[in-house]
Amino acid sequence: MSVPVIRRVLGDALRGLGVSEDCVDDILVAASEACTNVVRHSSTLEYEVDGAIDDENCVLWITDHGAGMRRPAETGELAESGRGMNIMRALVDDLTLDARPDGVRVSMRKRLTWHDEALMRRLESELVHSAR
């Protein structure tokens, strides 16, 4: 799946649940950086994006199944190496990179902020009300 498709699907899902636009923007930039890193630095162009959302957090896992990370080929590329990780760290609350022989997995967690009328908040309220 291409990076723009990932951004569209993820953004639509987060907005549909009522996540605030600033929070959606942070998640989309961080996810884009992770996917772009796979395309630029992995031995494969294939990757998976998995996620989970609850009333507090969005957790994403971006995984490639290549032979590990390959080294940048050009001096200019070396100069930019690492910027994506720094951008991701600045935008999410937790970020881990797990480089294994069978690929690399980036895990990121972002605390969510919501619009007041958010779907998740309405559902939570209805569940509490119906439990009484």
Side-chain angles (χ1 to χ4, degrees), residues 104-117:
V104 177
R105 182 176 203 178
V106 175
S107 302
M108 58 181 76
R109 182 187 62 81
K110 172 79 173 172
R111 233 170 290 129
L112 296 174
T113 56
W114 300 92
H115 292 294
D116 290 336
E117 70 281 356

Side-chain angles (χ1 to χ4, degrees), residues 16-20 54-57 111-129:
L17 291 171
V19 175
S20 70
D54 62 24
D55 60 337
E56 294 182 14
N57 297 292
R111 233 170 290 129
L112 296 174
T113 56
W114 300 92
H115 292 294
D116 290 336
E117 70 281 356
L119 174 62
M120 289 289 284
R121 298 288 182 215
R122 286 192 313 229
L123 290 175
E124 181 180 280
S125 174
E126 289 175 21
L127 289 174
V128 169
H129 186 307

Side-chain angles (χ1 to χ4, degrees), residues 54-89:
D54 62 24
D55 60 337
E56 294 182 14
N57 297 292
C58 173
V59 181
L60 297 175
W61 300 276
I62 295 87
T63 309
D64 78 63
H65 299 289
M69 295 181 357
R70 63 178 164 79
R71 298 194 58 115
E74 302 175 13
T75 307
E77 196 175 342
L78 281 171
E80 293 184 16
S81 185
R83 284 189 188 166
M85 293 300 291
N86 290 335
I87 291 168
M88 287 184 279
R89 279 189 188 95

Side-chain angles (χ1 to χ4, degrees), residues 3 6 11 13 22 42 44 50 69 77 85 92-94 102 106-107 110-111 125:
V3 176
I6 294 294
D22 288 343
S42 176
T44 181
D50 296 303
M69 295 181 357
E77 196 175 342
M85 293 300 291
V92 299
D93 298 299
D94 294 309
D102 62 338
V106 175
S107 302
K110 172 79 173 172
R111 233 170 290 129
S125 174

Side-chain angles (χ1 to χ4, degrees), residues 18-69:
V19 175
S20 70
E21 196 60 37
D22 288 343
C23 192
V24 171
D25 290 343
D26 288 351
I27 293 167
L28 293 181
V29 171
S32 296
E33 286 294 333
C35 294
T36 300
N37 281 347
V38 170
V39 172
R40 295 181 104 191
H41 302 295
S42 176
S43 61
T44 181
L45 296 179
E46 295 181 22
Y47 58 95
E48 295 176 30
V49 178
D50 296 303
I53 299 170
D54 62 24
D55 60 337
E56 294 182 14
N57 297 292
C58 173
V59 181
L60 297 175
W61 300 276
I62 295 87
T63 309
D64 78 63
H65 299 289
M69 295 181 357

